[in-house]
Amino acid sequence: MASPTNRIAFQGDYGANSDMASRDMFPAMDPLPCPTFEDAFTALESGEADLAMIPIENTLAGRVADIHHLLPESKLHIVGEYFMPIRFQLMVLPGVGRDEIRTVHSHIHALGQCRKIIRSNGWKAVVAGDTAGAAKLVAERGDRSMAALAPRLAAGLYGLDILQENVEDSEQNVTRFVVLSRDENWTPRTGGADVVVTTFVFNVRNIPAALYKALGGFATNGINMTKLESYQIGGTFTATQFYADIQGHPEDAPVRRALEELQFFSEKVRILGVYPGHPMRGALNGN
């Protein structure tokens, strides 16, 4: 057993959206920045951190690349989720005016979500590893022609001025994060959460209509499946793994029956986590 560290790992520099999500959900924990998602997973697996805050999907950009591969291959478990509205601030060196800007730096998703302001001003978009890293780069370079698109927290951390607030193209921009732990720690069936989410991955058997048959139990048992994604594994186009979220607890009779039917038509089923749904989940699902 690793000793508690009171640290929560995330990908990116201090001031990134993942850092903000970590501070919002776990204000008493110390954020631990990691260069890559793999590094954040390793920090948790090795005991360097107690938890990890990992973005898994965005309402505009879709799923976050790599996570659906990294998570099933790890021994980590989902113990919570966090929904965070994403707001980007246009930030520059102190005293820089809009007419001095020539390049805007940020994560590729951030640049894509702020196309209007970039195109209307004729600026050149430059991809950075993450949003906060872009702000840090602007501060370190000292180049008055550079600007960054990053969360508000980054401006304070790196001594930048916010030239314009909330420059994203759409207000309907929300990122869903999952909280990872080394321990399974399923939320209790009667734990008081309004919604319990169960996340699992599965590989169907190689028989006709296997996916249809595997998922039939969720329909007949009235289980709300809020997410189903497929992706190739093993470097082939024939081996497919599915990732799914449902609302309900494995100990609920309808969910138990649906999972039993899934297992009958699948080669492998692994539950990645059973955890309380975030309060924003219902609103985003239209409930």
Side-chain angles (χ1 to χ4, degrees):
M1 292 290 292
S3 301
T5 65
N6 198 44
R7 288 196 291 261
I8 179 167
F10 68 92
Q11 185 275 327
D13 284 301
Y14 286 117
N17 283 312
S18 297
D19 183 14
M20 291 180 61
S22 300
R23 296 174 191 240
D24 289 349
M25 192 170 184
F26 299 100
M29 297 189 74
D30 298 321
L32 176 65
C34 300
T36 67
F37 288 122
E38 291 93 336
D39 292 327
F41 275 66
T42 299
L44 178 55
E45 290 171 335
S46 67
E48 189 179 355
D50 299 332
L51 299 172
M53 180 71 73
I54 302 295
I56 197 165
E57 58 188 325
N58 177 269
T59 51
L60 299 182
R63 72 183 184 189
V64 177
D66 298 337
I67 302 305
H68 291 73
H69 294 280
L70 291 171
L71 186 52
E73 293 174 1
S74 74
K75 296 180 180 179
L76 303 177
H77 306 271
I78 302 175
V79 295
E81 68 175 0
Y82 187 74
F83 286 74
M84 188 172 76
I86 302 300
R87 302 290 178 258
F88 294 111
Q89 320 303 321
L90 178 68
M91 53 190 70
V92 294
L93 292 169
V96 168
R98 182 183 292 265
D99 60 339
E100 298 180 73
I101 298 174
R102 297 292 179 269
T103 59
V104 179
H105 302 249
S106 197
H107 187 272
I108 189 169
H109 285 172
L111 294 172
Q113 293 162 25
C114 301
R115 286 191 181 96
K116 291 180 181 178
I117 188 172
I118 295 173
R119 295 180 67 179
S120 65
N121 286 278
W123 297 328
K124 180 182 178 181
V126 181
V127 176
D130 64 273
T131 53
K136 183 179 180 181
L137 178 67
V138 170
E140 290 177 344
R141 289 280 180 88
D143 186 340
R144 296 177 65 87
S145 70
M146 295 171 60
L149 294 168
R152 185 180 302 276
L153 177 62
L157 290 174
Y158 301 114
L160 301 178
D161 285 350
I162 294 178
L163 200 59
Q164 186 173 339
E165 299 181 336
N166 303 338
V167 298
E168 63 279 352
D169 294 345
S170 172
E171 294 182 358
Q172 309 304 316
N173 187 357
V174 178
T175 293
R176 176 187 175 219
F177 297 83
V178 290
V179 181
L180 304 183
S181 172
R182 289 185 300 277
D183 303 319
E184 188 173 67
N185 195 25
W186 286 9
T187 192
R189 180 170 175 264
T190 56
D194 291 336
V195 176
V196 173
V197 180
T198 297
T199 295
F200 55 91
V201 291
F202 63 98
N203 298 41
V204 295
R205 294 166 56 192
N206 188 20
I207 59 175
L211 180 60
Y212 174 81
K213 295 173 182 177
L215 298 180
F218 295 96
T220 56
N221 285 282
I223 306 302
N224 185 15
M225 180 171 286
T226 59
K227 186 178 193 62
L228 177 65
E229 291 189 342
S230 65
Y231 51 99
Q232 308 308 125
I233 57 175
T236 72
F237 289 105
T238 57
T240 303
Q241 185 161 264
F242 295 89
Y243 175 102
D245 291 336
I246 61 170
Q247 292 186 181
H249 197 288
E251 294 175 3
D252 295 337
V255 175
R256 185 176 67 250
R257 291 193 295 267
L259 289 174
E260 288 173 354
E261 194 163 336
L262 174 68
Q263 290 171 339
F264 183 79
F265 292 104
S266 300
E267 294 180 345
K268 181 179 68 174
V269 178
R270 180 192 167 198
I271 294 180
L272 299 179
V274 181
Y275 49 95
H278 189 269
M280 284 184 67
R281 170 174 283 272
L284 291 176
N285 288 340
N287 297 333

